[in-house]
Amino acid sequence: MAGDAPDAIERIRQALLRRGSASAANPAPMIDKSAGGFHNLNHGSEVKVSSGKASATERQEQGRFSGEGPLSIHEVAQRAKVSIATVSRTINGVPTVTPELSRRVWKAIEEVGYYPNTHARSLVSGRSRIFGLIVSEITNPFFPEIVQGFEDVAVHHSYEILTTSVGHDPRRLALAVRRMIERRVEGVAIVTFGLEEALFDELKSRKIPLVFIDVGPALPRISNIKIDYLYGIRQAVQHLAALRHTRIAFISGPLSLKSAVARQRAFVDSMEEIGLPVNPKYLIEGNHTMEGGMAALRKILDLRNRPTAVLCSNDMTAFGVMRQSYEEGMQIPRDLSLIGFDDIRLAQFMIPPLTTVKMSQTEIAQLAFDALLAEVQREAPSPSGTEYTLRTSLVLRDSTALVANSSTRGRTKRPK
Amino acid sequence: MAGDAPDAIERIRQALLRRGSASAANPAPMIDKSAGGFHNLNHGSEVKVSSGKASATERQEQGRFSGEGPLSIHEVAQRAKVSIATVSRTINGVPTVTPELSRRVWKAIEEVGYYPNTHARSLVSGRSRIFGLIVSEITNPFFPEIVQGFEDVAVHHSYEILTTSVGHDPRRLALAVRRMIERRVEGVAIVTFGLEEALFDELKSRKIPLVFIDVGPALPRISNIKIDYLYGIRQAVQHLAALRHTRIAFISGPLSLKSAVARQRAFVDSMEEIGLPVNPKYLIEGNHTMEGGMAALRKILDLRNRPTAVLCSNDMTAFGVMRQSYEEGMQIPRDLSLIGFDDIRLAQFMIPPLTTVKMSQTEIAQLAFDALLAEVQREAPSPSGTEYTLRTSLVLRDSTALVANSSTRGRTKRPK
DNA sequence: CTGTTAGCGCTTTCAA
DNA sequence: TTGAAAGCGCTAACAG
């Protein structure tokens, strides 16, 4: 068993080295204040070093710390014959620790399987290393990608993440906000595309860094990711125009959401820019769900002078349109050209693969995290928050085609 | 401003009443040890009471606690002119608090906008009120439903939840396990359908309650949700048989996963039960993704004696099959009957709507949470964990049909 | 460079 | 019934 120790230490050392930082046990060329096997509370961002040589049973057999709850820093100190302060320093990579002691401490940590108690660390340091992430609907395929992206980068920076999906219920949101405050999150990313801002007052008044998508004025500690809807939507409209479409409908999201309005605005502007008529009847309000898309298409088909192409405010809506056109016996893109928005992963697997405007979920997640991290690390709060921009762009697939000659193709219900 | 107070108290009181519990300030008919505006650390499960009358600005204007970090129990105590112990008792609904004091405390809490610090609570109580939830792939539509379900019930019991999506990377999993231990989770639900069990040793040795899907022997503190695959798959097979299909293929998940093996086993058993031949060539190994489904169908179409129906180990695979049959110019269900597994929400929106075997994600989430909660509340650890069972069942939609007469229908690549 | 010590915010004895 | 005080596990002065 003793034979394991050098090996274990070596692994930790290497892990530290890999991070390109210095540890007392092993001075590296570059001096870097941030070092340590566990994430560091005070300094820059870290990647945790995972270790754990001694197996559970081994540990039990060592007898000392038999089952009485998780071990604390004291057990480690005792075993390494140092003070708890030294253990703490070692863990946090404070560079003043003697190599010899550091070695002993790491060895002890490995042997007893010690994992520091985050609650205690948070309490004393005042930093929880937790970010909150509020999404509207995790069951909507758009959001899991963001959650995943956010988690990836958070983990990479040793941040924990409290995810919550609040739907459209303000009470759920209020509860979520409370939970986050109680857990003392250091920042919250709000990816809901327009929930009532007043609900975040508790967060704001506590000066907790926040990042929104598409909100307007940036207050101190509040960042904003501005989506450049126009860029992609204009591409989409021009693509349709190039295919000779002139009667283009737009199915929006709920117009109570700022983002939905912004997308519709972008559509209208893009149409007008190239002199295409915007028929108000072609502006349908949907709700960003498949059902909404289905209903919207039905409305569209009831129109006298039907559009030949439809642009949707999100992909789920477009899926609904596809689904409904199947019901109606219509074929996409032959009978109707269709473009979505978001480019969720499923879009490319649709039948036919959906042409859509991409709004990168990974980038949103990355930007949101960066915004929060920057704000947390900033000494003086920025005077008015930071604004980030994300460009959208068209992704061509198979759901659009040249406009058909006969625009009178019937609406034949598919026989059941 | 003073006028607000009675109102605020009333709201809290009502919230307490709604919970049907007693508080010192307001003895309710039923005596219930668990009571309190914030969740209770010691007793049963709670629903938090959300309050917060005094707005941020009001609070600021009250001048006292100007911005210097979050307020602590001391400020509340001072303002209510009681000791911090009394504040603590009030919050936790200890029944010995005088109504008069309780009122004062709640008022102070409201006025200063006090939110207890969970880290401190966790530290002293040894209970974090956090459960971990490990899923394999949150971007797979099957899992978000589970995450949502789990969150719903967790919030309802005042538990926080640490979700993590680990993919198939053992290192990510190891890291996740470490994170959870550091945050001192009280239990972990593992919904990965068969990741290497050894990776959870650190959890096990710490006697942290765990719940798996489909693992074998139940150890102490380890529960298991057993999925009754046979029930639903047998229905599916018999449904196909009733439609005169005899050549039925099965696209499994990666056979390294126990659950994938179990599903395939159920398929084979169901076939044999009714005397249908199981052609080994009809047993294709997929990987539970769309791409896998697409590849699998290609393999199937290369077979000399093609099957007329395909059963898939999950819905994503079935989606892939649909997608590929579109490429191949085949039509479902005319040319091929198709059945999925899981019944993810998207299944009903497919073209055509997918007949599939339902494995309720909500129920899994509920069962998993219940299992964890039961284990946490249990005094003596159960001798060998608890086993729960979830039944599956067929959901009929439009992706199956009577077998076609001409089984020689060609494989005509769809013209691009 | 290392150890001692004073808390972080809260719960929970133990007295009063 | 209430308050004083002792920690929970950890970090960060402050001495030595």
Side-chain angles (χ1 to χ4, degrees):
Chain A
M1 200 176 299
D4 280 341
D7 179 24
I9 291 175
E10 188 51 38
R11 279 170 45 247
I12 294 175
R13 181 187 287 167
Q14 296 202 350
L16 288 172
L17 278 175
R18 222 175 300 126
R19 288 194 38 258
S21 60
S23 92
N26 193 342
M30 277 187 55
I31 301 297
D32 180 347
K33 270 179 56 180
S34 62
F38 300 103
H39 51 242
N40 188 306
L41 236 35
N42 324 307
H43 319 301
S45 56
E46 304 299 308
V47 179
K48 292 185 213 169
V49 174
S50 133
S51 55
K53 192 78 187 178
S55 83
T57 30
E58 272 180 74
R59 220 175 294 133
Q60 297 270 354
E61 283 158 7
Q62 289 167 358
R64 293 193 192 232
F65 317 106
S66 48
E68 244 3 271
L71 325 129
S72 79
I73 201 173
H74 289 101
E75 279 74 72
V76 176
Q78 194 180 326
R79 179 171 258 262
K81 299 193 208 308
V82 295
S83 71
I84 60 167
T86 298
V87 176
S88 177
R89 290 194 191 98
T90 306
I91 287 172
N92 291 302
V94 174
T96 63
V97 184
T98 297
E100 164 59 12
L101 287 198
S102 172
R103 202 186 323 279
R104 290 220 309 263
V105 169
W106 279 117
K107 178 156 174 284
I109 287 175
E110 286 271 306
E111 285 172 355
V112 302
Y114 168 71
Y115 285 45
N117 182 328
T118 318
H119 300 292
R121 302 232 270 182
S122 298
L123 188 57
V124 60
S125 71
R127 316 251 286 98
S128 64
R129 288 200 88 86
I130 304 179
F131 280 150
L133 173 61
I134 299 180
V135 301
S136 23
E137 204 71 79
I138 202 172
T139 55
N140 173 334
F142 176 79
F143 294 102
E145 302 279 350
I146 290 189
V147 172
Q148 178 74 70
F150 202 84
E151 186 195 324
D152 287 348
V153 35
V155 164
H156 192 253
H157 290 262
S158 295
Y159 266 82
E160 197 52 73
I161 149 180
L162 242 42
T163 310
T164 182
S165 164
V166 294
H168 303 289
D169 183 354
R171 284 174 323 180
R172 279 187 69 99
L173 212 207
L175 199 61
V177 167
R178 163 173 283 276
R179 290 197 278 144
M180 307 221 153
I181 295 176
E182 290 187 352
R183 300 273 168 195
R184 297 298 188 265
V185 297
E186 295 178 27
V188 182
I190 293 127
V191 188
T192 58
F193 296 102
L195 233 39
E196 229 194 288
E197 259 192 77
L199 292 164
F200 302 102
D201 281 352
E202 290 289 336
L203 257 6
K204 289 182 189 163
S205 68
R206 282 174 172 73
K207 312 218 183 77
I208 296 172
L210 260 34
V211 53
F212 289 87
I213 313 280
D214 272 343
V215 295
L219 280 69
R221 304 246 100 139
I222 311 226
S223 306
N224 177 27
I225 298 175
K226 190 173 161 5
I227 311 284
D228 180 358
Y229 294 115
L230 188 60
Y231 197 89
I233 287 181
R234 170 199 259 161
Q235 288 181 323
V237 167
Q238 298 196 358
H239 169 64
L240 289 174
L243 295 173
R244 308 266 206 291
H245 293 275
T246 53
R247 299 201 304 280
I248 306 175
F250 184 81
I251 307 177
S252 71
L255 292 175
S256 53
L257 302 188
K258 283 182 196 171
S259 63
V261 174
R263 291 175 202 195
Q264 191 180 73
R265 179 81 253 147
F267 169 74
V268 171
D269 289 352
S270 301
M271 290 288 280
E272 289 175 345
E273 179 190 25
I274 57 175
L276 285 182
V278 179
N279 183 337
K281 298 207 164 164
Y282 289 178
L283 263 28
I284 317 275
E285 180 172 354
N287 59 4
H288 280 170
T289 68
M290 272 192 162
E291 291 89 336
M294 295 175 72
L297 181 60
R298 267 180 257 121
K299 273 191 207 155
I300 286 173
L301 295 182
D302 282 338
L303 259 29
R304 251 169 289 106
N305 199 13
R306 290 191 196 162
T308 59
V310 174
L311 190 54
C312 299
S313 184
N314 78 340
D315 284 346
M316 292 309 280
T317 300
F319 292 177
V321 169
M322 288 177 131
R323 181 72 176 69
Q324 186 65 31
S325 43
Y326 167 75
E327 295 287 344
E328 305 280 354
M330 297 170 60
Q331 206 178 301
I332 291 173
R334 193 194 59 189
D335 306 322
L336 185 75
S337 282
L338 182 66
I339 297 185
F341 191 98
D342 279 349
D343 192 27
I344 63 179
R345 203 191 297 196
L346 247 18
Q348 62 191 291
F349 293 108
M350 287 295 104
I351 302 174
L354 182 70
T355 290
T356 188
V357 176
K358 173 169 184 145
M359 170 168 67
S360 168
Q361 292 114 82
T362 314
E363 280 183 59
I364 289 182
Q366 177 82 49
L367 284 175
F369 186 89
D370 290 349
L372 256 23
L373 194 62
E375 208 56 56
V376 164
Q377 288 174 347
R378 205 187 306 275
E379 290 302 317
S382 53
S384 69
T386 317
E387 180 150 306
Y388 302 78
T389 304
L390 178 69
R391 167 163 290 185
T392 60
S393 71
L394 187 65
V395 177
L396 287 174
R397 289 200 269 258
D398 304 341
S399 62
T400 55
L402 262 179
V403 69
N405 289 339
S406 66
S407 55
T408 49
R409 206 177 293 276
R411 178 184 185 179
T412 353
K413 279 273 181 187
R414 154 175 170 266
K416 272 284 175 184
Chain B
M1 201 178 294
D4 280 342
D7 179 23
I9 291 176
E10 188 50 38
R11 277 170 45 247
I12 294 174
R13 182 186 289 166
Q14 295 203 350
L16 289 172
L17 277 176
R18 222 175 298 125
R19 287 193 40 258
S21 60
S23 92
N26 193 342
M30 276 188 53
I31 301 299
D32 179 345
K33 272 180 56 180
S34 62
F38 300 103
H39 52 242
N40 188 305
L41 236 35
N42 323 307
H43 319 300
S45 56
E46 304 301 308
V47 178
K48 292 183 214 170
V49 174
S50 133
S51 54
K53 192 78 189 179
S55 84
T57 30
E58 271 180 74
R59 220 175 296 132
Q60 297 269 352
E61 282 158 6
Q62 288 166 358
R64 294 193 192 229
F65 317 106
S66 49
E68 244 3 271
L71 326 129
S72 80
I73 201 173
H74 289 100
E75 280 73 70
V76 176
Q78 197 179 323
R79 180 172 258 262
K81 299 195 209 308
V82 295
S83 71
I84 60 168
T86 298
V87 176
S88 177
R89 291 195 189 98
T90 305
I91 286 172
N92 291 302
V94 174
T96 64
V97 184
T98 298
E100 165 58 15
L101 287 197
S102 172
R103 201 186 325 276
R104 290 220 309 263
V105 169
W106 281 117
K107 179 157 174 283
I109 288 175
E110 287 270 305
E111 285 172 355
V112 301
Y114 168 70
Y115 285 44
N117 182 327
T118 319
H119 300 292
R121 302 233 269 181
S122 298
L123 188 57
V124 60
S125 72
R127 316 250 288 100
S128 65
R129 287 200 89 86
I130 304 180
F131 280 149
L133 173 61
I134 299 180
V135 301
S136 23
E137 204 70 81
I138 202 172
T139 55
N140 173 334
F142 176 80
F143 294 102
E145 301 279 349
I146 290 190
V147 172
Q148 178 74 69
F150 202 84
E151 187 195 323
D152 287 347
V153 36
V155 165
H156 192 253
H157 289 263
S158 295
Y159 267 82
E160 198 52 73
I161 149 180
L162 242 42
T163 310
T164 182
S165 163
V166 294
H168 303 290
D169 184 353
R171 283 174 323 179
R172 278 187 70 98
L173 212 208
L175 199 61
V177 166
R178 164 173 282 277
R179 290 197 279 143
M180 307 220 153
I181 295 175
E182 290 187 354
R183 298 275 169 193
R184 298 296 189 265
V185 297
E186 295 178 26
V188 182
I190 294 128
V191 189
T192 58
F193 296 101
L195 233 41
E196 229 194 290
E197 259 191 77
L199 292 164
F200 302 102
D201 281 353
E202 290 290 335
L203 256 6
K204 289 182 190 164
S205 69
R206 282 175 173 73
K207 312 219 184 75
I208 296 173
L210 260 35
V211 54
F212 288 88
I213 311 280
D214 273 343
V215 296
L219 279 69
R221 304 245 101 139
I222 311 225
S223 307
N224 178 26
I225 298 176
K226 190 174 161 5
I227 310 285
D228 180 359
Y229 294 115
L230 187 59
Y231 196 89
I233 287 181
R234 171 199 259 162
Q235 288 182 324
V237 167
Q238 297 196 358
H239 169 64
L240 290 174
L243 295 173
R244 308 264 208 293
H245 294 274
T246 53
R247 300 201 303 281
I248 306 175
F250 184 82
I251 306 176
S252 70
L255 292 176
S256 53
L257 302 189
K258 285 182 196 172
S259 63
V261 174
R263 291 174 201 196
Q264 191 180 74
R265 178 83 254 146
F267 169 73
V268 171
D269 288 351
S270 301
M271 291 287 279
E272 289 175 345
E273 179 190 25
I274 57 175
L276 285 181
V278 179
N279 183 338
K281 298 206 163 164
Y282 289 177
L283 262 27
I284 316 276
E285 181 171 354
N287 60 2
H288 280 171
T289 68
M290 272 192 161
E291 290 89 338
M294 294 174 72
L297 181 60
R298 267 180 257 122
K299 273 191 208 154
I300 286 173
L301 295 181
D302 282 339
L303 259 29
R304 250 170 289 105
N305 200 13
R306 289 191 196 163
T308 58
V310 175
L311 190 55
C312 299
S313 185
N314 78 340
D315 283 347
M316 293 310 280
T317 301
F319 291 178
V321 169
M322 288 177 131
R323 179 74 175 67
Q324 185 66 31
S325 43
Y326 167 75
E327 296 287 344
E328 306 281 353
M330 295 170 62
Q331 206 177 302
I332 290 174
R334 194 194 58 191
D335 306 323
L336 186 74
S337 281
L338 181 65
I339 297 185
F341 191 97
D342 280 350
D343 192 26
I344 62 179
R345 202 192 297 197
L346 248 17
Q348 62 190 292
F349 293 107
M350 287 297 103
I351 301 174
L354 181 70
T355 290
T356 188
V357 176
K358 173 169 184 145
M359 170 167 67
S360 167
Q361 291 113 83
T362 314
E363 281 182 58
I364 289 182
Q366 176 83 48
L367 284 175
F369 186 88
D370 289 349
L372 256 23
L373 194 63
E375 208 57 55
V376 164
Q377 288 175 346
R378 205 187 305 275
E379 290 302 318
S382 53
S384 69
T386 316
E387 179 150 307
Y388 303 77
T389 304
L390 179 68
R391 168 163 287 186
T392 60
S393 70
L394 186 66
V395 178
L396 287 174
R397 290 199 267 258
D398 304 341
S399 62
T400 55
L402 262 178
V403 69
N405 288 337
S406 65
S407 56
T408 49
R409 204 178 295 277
R411 179 184 185 179
T412 354
K413 277 274 182 190
R414 154 173 170 270
K416 272 284 177 186

